[in-house]
Amino acid sequence: MKDKITYIVTIVIAILTAVFTILKEQVWDGFVYFVFSLLMILGLFWGGWLIYKYFTDYKSEMAEKYKIFKAEKINKLRITSDIYMASEEAYKKEFKRKLLKEKFIKWFMICFCFAIGVAFLVAIIFY
């Protein structure tokens, strides 16, 4: 249910943005501020939502991915789980290095959303 909220908010803001854009063209130029405000809210909302998801679901995702990584390593190297457990620290380091790119991408998306929000805030100020 929580994930559906993001889509509902995004769709509502997109529809309102379209309506205010049409109104800006036909009725009053001041509606452009509503468009900028809604797009700023959308960027900040998604940035906040991605941070929320990162801190709530990230650990459980990593636990699942580590289980898959462990199974792949055991199958690929054709070793027993006891041998794997003996050198588990080295495998955990390898797993963390593998996830560094994924963490970077997640934080880049968060920063991008906030950058969009700030860009529309600047657009509101200087329009």
Side-chain angles (χ1 to χ4, degrees):
M1 179 63 184
K2 286 191 265 183
D3 291 332
K4 291 181 182 180
I5 291 172
T6 58
Y7 297 118
I8 292 170
V9 168
T10 302
I11 290 169
V12 167
I13 289 177
I15 290 171
L16 285 173
T17 301
V19 167
F20 286 131
T21 302
I22 293 169
L23 288 173
K24 182 240 179 232
E25 296 295 324
Q26 296 178 357
V27 179
W28 177 51
D29 285 338
F31 280 115
V32 75
Y33 292 109
F34 291 103
V35 173
F36 287 162
S37 298
L38 286 171
L39 293 174
M40 179 189 68
I41 290 170
L42 185 63
L44 296 177
F45 169 76
W46 271 102
W49 181 257
L50 290 174
I51 287 175
Y52 169 75
K53 293 294 280 184
Y54 182 83
F55 286 116
T56 57
D57 296 342
Y58 188 68
K59 288 184 181 181
S60 61
E61 285 178 23
M62 292 306 105
E64 285 296 318
K65 288 183 180 183
Y66 183 71
K67 287 179 186 177
I68 294 170
F69 174 79
K70 180 180 174 181
E72 287 175 352
K73 276 294 183 186
I74 290 173
N75 288 336
K76 183 179 174 185
L77 299 174
R78 296 181 183 190
I79 57 175
T80 63
S81 59
D82 294 331
I83 296 171
Y84 179 87
M85 290 305 222
S87 59
E88 186 176 23
E89 289 302 317
Y91 292 122
K92 280 188 178 183
K93 278 186 177 181
E94 181 183 344
F95 178 69
K96 286 181 182 180
R97 275 184 275 153
K98 184 179 174 185
L99 289 181
L100 187 61
K101 179 181 176 185
E102 186 175 320
K103 278 185 181 181
F104 176 77
I105 290 172
K106 283 186 183 269
W107 281 105
F108 180 77
M109 287 181 357
I110 290 168
C111 290
F112 182 74
C113 289
F114 283 119
I116 288 174
V118 169
F120 281 107
L121 178 64
V122 170
I124 290 169
I125 294 169
F126 290 115
Y127 182 73

